[in-house]
Amino acid sequence: MRIPLMSLCCVALLAACQGQEAAPASEAATAAPVAKVAAMAVDVDEQSYAEPQKVAITDLALDLALDFDTRTLAGTATYTLDWKDASAVELRLDTRDLDIRSAEGLVGTNWVPLKFMLDPADRMLGSKLTIPTPDRPAQVRIRYATSPKASGLQWLTPEMTQGGQLPLMFSQSQQIHARSWVPLQDTPQVRYTYSAHVTSRPDVMVLMSADNDPAALRDGDYRFTMPQPIPSYLMAIAAGDFVFKPISARAGVWAEPAMVDAAVAEFSDTEKMITTAESLYGPYRWGRYDLLILPPSFPFGGMENPRLSFITPTVIVGDKSLVSLIAHELAHSWSGNLVTMSSAKHGWLNEGMTTYVQNRIVETLYGEDVATMEQVLSRDALRKSIQQMPTGAQVLGVRPGVVLGSDAETTRVAYDKGSWFLQFLEQRYGREVFDPFLREYFDYFAFRSIDTGTFVEYFRTHLMQAHPDVVSMEELENWLYDPGIPASAPEVKSRRLILVDTALRRWLGSGDLPPRELTREWSSQEWSRFLEGLPDTLSPEQMTQLDEAWHLSGTTNGELAQRWYVLALRSGYEPALAPMQEFLVHVGRLKLVMPVYRTLAATETGRELARMILERARPGYHPITAVGVERLLEQAEKTQDN
Ligand SMILES: [Zn+2]
């Protein structure tokens, strides 16, 4: 439980309770006197069995064999431990579907066997691994192997890759899948440095969320170090036919050979994005910033694995119109990777901050027009989706002391309401005040994990007290803790989207499509706006007219595909059905496929078709996507029965 302890020093408490080094004095903002931020009590992470207040991992050394034939990682994990509680006599780790073979503790210079207990698996949390450690050894070593079904790993046969020659695998650890490939204190409250020795078949390149060498030899024997302490959800590994091409001296692309040039061209602004973020929020602290382009089955848009963001190829559309995703993953190098939510229920600290920073980068690089357009689209989408959510899910932050269920999820509220909240603050205080505030916030909490209460306390002492009467505590609490969209939410208008809306109304009224000179300039956002503004169903003639003019069935732009196929299903437009199935089989990105599956799930024939498609798609789907679709169909079936 978290109880405000007003007299304690925040830095000391955070360092003590969260298993991480306090930032060196040089990293703390000089303008931010430490004692002024009242300390918060320990946040409870509902999604972990670990007890980091008693003992915390400070370093992890992995020695793993990566085997495509058995689809496993096997070897040892060695933990350096900080025993904080002198009475602690066990180490509790999170695991899921792991085969734990032995545990040892380092006593003097000898490794001595330790007993261990692996609990039966909880559906959400996996199995608690308890290792009695009466001697509180400085290091513990576990020998283990992963399951071929590990929820955090996807193994692809050569046929499922672009090159078709070599197999490919990759991890997705967020939110709590790291425990399916390493026994860990799988909570963002613990940060640790890591090193790894990984062996594999010699013809694949292995990469990790660490110091990947662009000139590394492909020889099946790889070593990595991650010198900055990270939370477990940023553990990442990938192996496959990956080649490297530079974008700048510190940024580049890893991808399958056939994809690498298109990726470098699409993401050529990456270095400019880094320097833009640095000019706003201080130096990039992680060394290199590379992008790894994964197959279309990657379930997310991107994953901010430090030094090596994992990226879906579905944003490579040829006109850079979806590169705000790169701005987003890069922004996490400050918000999320550097200053981290202490548990998933404070997801807005990662995702809302990041979406805000992303928008600032987009504005600097691509202009206010584009940034405003993205703001309006995200706010409109939030407005639409928030109405269907239970009130508990509409809330941005969680008050100190609240403990949620282990299945609480990060929704678009964290992203879109979170960034809207920060845009509200920016507008009230002005950039000349708000920008330095945020920069100091990143410095102050660098390499630490915090909760909403800690943010509020920092905000109160660093912004509110210096600038009274700009934002009231009531307004702040309204944004953070009340459902819905606050009355104080600032509104913006997008000139470009207004033009699209006008064109849309004209077509609905007269059947006249917007002129080619106009649509030629449209980006993915404007096309999406047009499709989203259409009524729920269109006549066969209308569908045919749009499809013939714009070739929407079979489009390679996933943002358009997901909207077009939903419309086609609702309108019963059959020519789109075959390309829709191909789209669902070949793309596994949740954001793109779930809206289509959701529409299919609404009718019995649709569910039948969805099940057929799922079976065809399953070998290429990530476990996260396959389970997501299964649950959706089960749920729809149940609602239908009741
Ligand atoms: Zn994010």
Side-chain angles (χ1 to χ4, degrees):
M1 303 286 278
R2 290 166 297 153
I3 306 152
L5 299 167
M6 306 303 279
S7 61
L8 286 177
C9 156
C10 181
V11 169
L13 191 85
L14 280 166
C17 72
Q18 298 187 346
Q20 62 214 26
E21 295 162 26
S26 63
E27 280 178 1
T30 44
V34 164
K36 281 213 174 152
V37 177
M40 296 290 139
V42 184
D43 180 31
V44 172
D45 186 350
E46 300 84 349
Q47 299 186 331
S48 172
Y49 289 116
E51 299 174 309
Q53 303 79 19
K54 294 184 178 171
V55 56
I57 297 170
T58 59
D59 182 72
L60 165 70
L62 292 171
D63 197 333
L64 297 174
L66 186 158
D67 187 346
F68 278 103
D69 295 332
T70 57
R71 299 190 160 197
T72 57
L73 296 170
T76 58
T78 305
Y79 316 91
T80 302
L81 300 170
D82 178 9
W83 291 94
K84 298 172 170 181
D85 180 343
S87 62
V89 285
E90 61 182 31
L91 173 65
R92 283 189 191 176
L93 299 176
D94 296 298
T95 74
R96 179 183 291 134
D97 296 329
L98 292 182
D99 173 13
I100 305 294
R101 295 174 175 169
S102 70
E104 296 164 292
L106 188 63
V107 177
T109 54
N110 295 326
W111 287 101
V112 296
L114 295 172
K115 288 200 180 75
F116 63 88
M117 284 94 76
L118 193 62
D119 282 10
D122 173 86
R123 195 174 132 265
M124 295 301 299
L125 299 180
S127 301
K128 177 170 68 180
L129 174 65
T130 308
I131 305 163
T133 46
D135 299 328
R136 286 188 283 283
Q139 293 197 321
V140 164
R141 182 163 73 190
I142 292 175
R143 184 167 295 280
Y144 73 99
T146 63
S147 152
K149 288 191 190 129
S151 62
L153 302 177
Q154 185 178 14
W155 302 84
L156 298 175
T157 61
E159 299 75 53
M160 293 174 209
T161 68
Q162 202 178 21
Q165 301 300 313
L166 294 172
L168 189 150
M169 67 82 70
F170 62 87
S171 66
Q172 170 55 40
S173 295
Q174 197 175 27
Q175 200 58 265
I176 51 170
H177 300 289
R179 65 188 64 178
S180 76
W181 63 282
V182 190
L184 276 170
Q185 290 181 312
D186 197 7
T187 165
Q189 295 178 7
V190 175
R191 304 182 81 99
Y192 54 88
T193 52
Y194 81 84
S195 60
H197 173 225
V198 182
T199 58
S200 72
R201 50 187 279 175
D203 51 358
V204 300
M205 179 59 76
V206 177
L207 302 168
M208 291 192 81
S209 54
D211 62 338
N212 300 290
D213 176 6
L217 274 185
R218 208 186 276 205
D219 61 359
D221 194 304
Y222 305 96
R223 285 179 193 276
F224 306 91
T225 54
M226 171 40 94
Q228 289 95 352
I230 60 161
S232 56
Y233 74 85
L234 295 177
M235 291 295 294
I237 188 167
D241 188 8
F242 300 132
V243 294
F244 179 82
K245 277 222 168 154
I247 291 171
S248 68
R250 60 174 163 175
V253 168
W254 289 94
E256 284 197 69
M259 177 64 81
V260 74
D261 287 328
V264 168
E266 194 86 20
F267 305 137
S268 61
D269 292 335
T270 303
E271 176 61 36
K272 280 188 226 157
M273 290 182 176
I274 305 174
T275 47
T276 301
E278 285 185 312
S279 69
L280 286 168
Y281 306 118
Y284 176 76
R285 303 189 193 215
W286 304 86
R288 294 196 58 83
Y289 181 71
D290 294 324
L291 308 170
L292 171 63
I293 313 303
L294 288 170
S297 61
F298 181 53
F300 299 103
M303 178 62 211
E304 64 269 25
N305 297 317
R307 294 174 180 234
L308 185 69
S309 287
F310 286 16
I311 303 293
T312 174
T314 62
V315 292
I316 301 175
V317 288
D319 65 357
K320 297 190 180 180
S321 60
L322 299 176
V323 298
S324 60
L325 177 86
I326 306 300
H328 181 96
E329 303 315 327
L330 170 70
H332 272 304
S333 307
W334 286 263
S335 42
N337 298 8
L338 189 63
V339 181
T340 309
M341 61 179 182
S342 59
S343 62
K345 61 184 175 294
H346 305 289
W348 79 275
L349 286 169
N350 279 21
E351 298 302 346
M353 284 271 179
T354 294
T355 307
Y356 170 80
V357 172
Q358 161 200 335
N359 200 250
R360 294 294 302 272
I361 297 172
V362 166
E363 183 192 307
T364 308
L365 260 67
Y366 306 108
E368 210 179 323
D369 253 12
V370 178
T372 308
M373 190 161 64
E374 294 195 350
Q375 278 178 18
V376 171
L377 287 170
S378 92
R379 290 173 185 182
D380 285 357
L382 175 70
R383 247 189 226 107
K384 235 190 232 172
S385 62
I386 206 167
Q387 288 163 355
Q388 273 112 54
M389 294 179 191
T391 49
Q394 299 178 18
V395 169
L396 195 56
V398 174
R399 280 184 196 276
V402 174
V403 178
L404 302 177
S406 61
D407 56 350
E409 279 174 21
T410 307
T411 67
R412 59 179 323 137
V413 168
Y415 293 76
D416 298 333
K417 191 173 171 181
S419 54
W420 205 346
F421 167 52
L422 294 160
Q423 283 149 359
F424 156 76
L425 295 178
E426 178 205 289
Q427 204 182 62
R428 284 287 181 88
Y429 288 96
R431 288 187 175 176
E432 61 288 357
V433 171
F434 191 64
D435 287 356
F437 163 78
L438 219 47
R439 181 179 176 143
E440 282 163 21
Y441 161 85
F442 290 133
D443 277 341
Y444 190 94
F445 292 110
F447 298 107
R448 293 190 226 145
S449 307
I450 66 167
D451 63 7
T452 304
T454 307
F455 171 86
V456 169
E457 203 43 36
Y458 184 83
F459 180 83
R460 198 179 62 75
T461 49
H462 288 74
L463 208 47
M464 278 183 144
Q465 285 178 0
H467 304 273
D469 308 325
V470 178
V471 170
S472 69
M473 198 41 118
E474 202 183 338
E475 283 174 314
L476 188 76
E477 298 214 332
N478 179 224
W479 269 102
L480 287 173
Y481 304 129
D482 292 341
I485 295 157
S488 60
E491 296 295 345
V492 284
K493 282 195 162 56
S494 162
R495 187 186 58 83
R496 285 172 59 170
L497 292 181
I498 289 170
L499 284 176
V500 176
D501 294 346
T502 310
L504 170 66
R505 274 197 303 276
R506 187 174 309 136
W507 178 68
L508 286 171
S510 67
D512 293 338
L513 282 171
R516 196 169 284 273
E517 304 82 73
L518 182 70
T519 55
R520 206 173 37 213
E521 304 295 322
W522 279 6
S523 63
S524 302
Q525 286 81 358
E526 285 150 312
W527 286 110
S528 301
R529 176 71 168 201
F530 189 95
L531 292 179
E532 272 191 1
L534 293 168
D536 281 353
T537 58
L538 291 179
S539 70
E541 295 74 28
Q542 286 174 310
M543 290 297 289
T544 308
Q545 189 194 2
L546 292 184
D547 208 6
E548 279 177 359
W550 295 338
H551 311 292
L552 291 161
S553 300
T555 173
T556 52
N557 186 320
E559 291 291 342
L560 306 194
Q562 59 145 327
R563 292 171 171 90
W564 176 247
Y565 294 136
V566 166
L567 184 67
L569 282 170
R570 289 204 194 115
S571 307
Y573 178 65
E574 288 191 1
L577 287 185
M580 175 201 76
Q581 294 187 41
E582 290 317 300
F583 170 71
L584 291 179
V585 168
H586 290 109
V587 175
R589 184 179 169 194
L590 288 164
K591 179 194 174 200
L592 301 184
V593 300
M594 288 312 265
V596 185
Y597 275 115
R598 231 171 269 134
T599 312
L600 283 168
T603 65
E604 201 175 322
T605 46
R607 285 196 294 278
E608 224 165 275
L609 181 57
R611 266 185 226 103
M612 219 177 70
I613 298 169
L614 176 61
E615 283 328 300
R616 257 187 76 203
R618 195 185 291 275
Y621 270 2
H622 192 284
I624 291 174
T625 305
V627 170
V629 176
E630 275 163 16
R631 288 206 182 135
L632 172 77
L633 294 175
E634 270 167 34
Q635 211 109 52
E637 200 77 49
K638 260 190 229 155
T639 342
Q640 213 62 201
D641 289 348
N642 291 341

